[in-house]
Amino acid sequence: MEKLIIDGGIPLRGELRISGAKNAALPLIAATLLAPGEHVLKNVPDLRDTRTFLKLMENLGISWQYDGHILKVDATHLNFSEASYELVKTMRASVLVLGPLLARLGKAKVSLPGGCAIGERPIDFHIKGFEQMGVNIKLEQGYVDAEVYESMQGTHIYFDIPSVTGTENIIMAATLAQGTTTIKNAAKEPEVGNLIDMLQGMGAKIEGKNSDTLIVHGVEKLQPANCTIIPERIETGTYLIAAGATGGEVTITDCQPAHLPALLEKLRFAGFVVEQNADSIYLNAGKISENGGAIRSTDIKTMPYPGYPTDLQAQFMALMTLADGVSVVNETIFENRFMHVAELRRMGARIQIDGHSAVVKGKGISGLIGAPVMSTDLRASSSLVIAGLAASGRTTISRIYHLERGYEKLVDKLSNLGARVWKEQE
Ligand code: EPZ
């Protein structure tokens, strides 16, 4: 197992190109199951999760080629409809094959994802939606065993909470269902929009993109896709916050500033110079210290898109440990997403947890000191990387396999921005 070593205190400087979005790549790869033939997906990030998903696809009889971020998937020989516990336990997003398998084969057997570090994360909305579409579902021995006796029927579905993968699973199932499906209180995340663009390119009939009401008119069959994965907004946000925390100056290119409304607002409020254009963002933290100022304490409350993303909560908390004053971080999406707090405290951070809120007493830009810390989940570990880059002295982060699930070439990208960071065997 590997660990990450960081000698902190160096401002990040330079230009960085952003990768494709993990949470778009996974549902779009799943959607290739909907149509036989060769699909072409571009800008697919090379991540541990992408590889795990392709392993799952292989088990279903799918062949693929991946070269230079271009993924070719041939879904002609889909001949198996089971996603094993072994695979699903390593990546919950595996449940995204349920919808396409039911639509294409009329049956699917997928392991229930089980517990997760950040929360209970049930899939009851997915299951309820499929049952409303006429799917017979049995939950046995930890598996969702689903079968359609006749054909899936379009229907009216309402989500209590705008679930991202729930919305994606139902949209994919509805594309080949009999009649029309309406999804109310649907998720509006840009990744859902990317999936809708792909499906429309395959011949699907979907209205209401980017709104909380989606209408899917079922069609007979779909064509293979040829589409591009959107830029990774969470990676973009992570590097912007890292630049802010180290007092640096960076330009992030090939990104989508419009997908980060809440974060850019918060970074400006905190005192950073943030300039954006169609596909790049410039952040300069230098001005803060030049004016003898400090990072202004800033409250955040995580919300479904376009609210502040929960996947950037931990990173922003790390930044607020360096602010001047008290910030409140309110996590409304997941019930257990403060695993990074104890680790940040090891680096000298002052954070009080009170239910779904964390009160962060900032210690100013030189407030953190390097220490050995441990990753617990993907985004918590990226907050520890940010803290390590800003801290004086050396930080060692163990269990970095969490990071590799969602950040492509992290060490190379940080080193190109001047950071002193490297990997070592544990
Ligand atoms: C997606 O997870 C992302 N994963 C998560 O990113 C992200 O944190 C999350 O959306 C919220 O933005 C992928 O897209 C692969 P939800 P998802 O269903 O779809 C509850 C990362 O770091 N809920 O929108 O699983 C649920 O418990 C990951 O990249 C139910 O109760 O999240 C949560 O409280 C982590 N029943 C809330 O809804 C259900 O059937 C939102 O979850 C489904 C969800």
Side-chain angles (χ1 to χ4, degrees):
M1 228 190 313
E2 288 181 312
K3 60 186 174 187
L4 199 66
I5 319 281
I6 304 174
D7 283 346
I10 303 168
L12 298 184
R13 291 193 196 293
E15 197 165 291
L16 173 78
R17 185 183 178 288
I18 279 299
S19 302
K22 167 179 81 79
N23 292 344
L26 304 181
L28 273 72
I29 295 172
T32 62
L33 295 170
L34 289 164
E38 185 176 82
H39 303 252
V40 179
L41 303 183
K42 298 176 205 111
N43 199 29
V44 176
D46 190 357
L47 303 166
R48 183 184 282 263
D49 274 11
T50 314
R51 299 278 170 180
T52 306
F53 211 96
L54 290 171
K55 185 106 200 61
L56 168 59
M57 296 288 277
E58 235 168 79
N59 289 1
L60 301 175
I62 304 302
S63 59
W64 54 273
Q65 284 168 329
Y66 183 46
D67 180 22
H69 297 106
I70 297 183
L71 176 66
K72 293 187 177 152
V73 175
D74 191 325
T76 308
H77 306 298
L78 172 61
N79 57 16
F80 194 57
S81 59
E82 187 165 329
S84 70
Y85 174 62
E86 288 323 303
L87 270 170
V88 176
K89 76 175 180 200
T90 62
M91 184 186 62
R92 324 174 46 77
S94 311
V95 293
L96 284 164
V97 298
L98 257 176
L101 286 175
L102 285 167
R104 174 100 178 266
L105 299 178
K107 63 179 176 165
K109 188 173 178 187
V110 174
S111 166
L112 277 168
C116 170
I118 65 176
E120 197 203 322
R121 303 184 71 182
I123 58 166
D124 52 328
F125 301 164
H126 305 229
I127 291 171
K128 190 165 148 248
F130 290 132
E131 285 177 332
Q132 284 180 261
M133 298 177 82
V135 180
N136 300 280
I137 294 190
K138 287 191 297 277
L139 297 181
E140 279 168 358
Q141 292 161 329
Y143 277 78
V144 178
D145 199 342
E147 188 149 3
V148 183
Y149 296 137
E150 271 130 44
S151 61
M152 267 199 287
Q153 298 301 315
T155 182
H156 184 82
I157 291 171
Y158 172 81
F159 281 135
D160 296 341
I161 299 170
S163 163
V164 176
T165 50
T167 301
E168 293 164 344
N169 238 335
I170 298 296
I171 295 173
M172 291 190 276
T175 54
L176 294 172
Q178 299 282 324
T180 298
T181 301
T182 305
I183 307 173
K184 276 268 179 210
N185 200 24
K188 296 182 282 200
E189 271 66 8
E191 294 77 22
V192 175
N194 201 186
L195 174 66
I196 291 173
D197 290 343
M198 174 188 176
L199 294 169
Q200 286 171 330
M202 294 168 71
K205 301 226 173 325
I206 306 172
E207 297 161 30
K209 183 188 154 187
N210 300 334
S211 82
D212 60 12
T213 301
L214 296 172
I215 300 172
V216 185
H217 305 285
V219 296
E220 270 305 300
K221 63 184 180 60
L222 296 168
Q223 305 305 322
N226 188 330
C227 66
T228 301
I229 307 288
I230 57 173
E232 176 55 274
R233 63 193 166 104
I234 306 301
E235 185 192 25
T236 306
T238 302
Y239 283 103
L240 286 173
I241 294 172
T246 59
E249 181 181 7
V250 296
T251 300
I252 311 273
T253 66
D254 299 88
C255 65
Q256 187 50 281
H259 289 169
L260 286 165
L263 174 71
L264 300 185
E265 212 37 55
K266 293 294 178 181
L267 288 172
R268 289 187 178 107
F269 182 85
F272 299 107
V273 172
V274 178
E275 290 157 8
Q276 64 189 84
N277 63 31
D279 63 359
S280 74
I281 303 171
Y282 166 77
L283 179 139
N284 187 344
K287 295 271 176 287
I288 290 187
S289 37
E290 264 163 39
N291 312 339
I295 300 171
R296 185 189 295 151
S297 53
T298 307
D299 299 345
I300 58 168
K301 181 177 184 176
T302 64
M303 295 292 279
Y305 189 87
Y308 190 91
T310 174
D311 294 347
L312 284 172
Q313 175 258 99
Q315 299 92 321
F316 202 83
M317 185 189 288
L319 180 67
M320 288 301 106
T321 65
L322 305 162
D324 183 10
V326 174
S327 315
V328 177
V329 173
N330 194 331
E331 174 58 57
T332 74
I333 307 291
F334 293 110
E335 62 275 20
N336 185 36
R337 202 164 207 183
F338 286 149
M339 300 290 278
H340 41 286
V341 169
E343 301 303 312
L344 289 172
R345 284 193 190 127
R346 293 173 50 74
M347 301 176 75
R350 295 182 298 184
I351 308 170
Q352 233 27 63
I353 295 179
D354 174 12
H356 288 293
S357 294
V359 178
V360 185
K361 294 200 182 83
K363 297 176 72 176
I365 35 191
S366 53
L368 295 178
I369 300 166
V373 291
M374 186 159 70
S375 302
T376 49
D377 63 79
L378 170 58
R379 308 305 173 183
S381 36
S382 64
S383 84
L384 301 180
V385 171
I386 291 169
L389 291 165
S392 53
R394 177 165 295 184
T395 295
T396 305
I397 306 177
S398 59
R399 298 185 180 182
I400 55 167
Y401 54 83
H402 288 290
L403 273 170
E404 285 149 4
R405 294 190 52 183
Y407 291 94
E408 189 177 38
K409 294 197 171 25
L410 178 94
V411 170
D412 297 352
K413 289 186 178 185
L414 286 174
S415 306
N416 293 341
L417 294 174
R420 258 214 295 279
V421 55
W422 64 97
K423 282 187 201 172
E424 275 180 15
Q425 283 305 320
E426 289 263 26

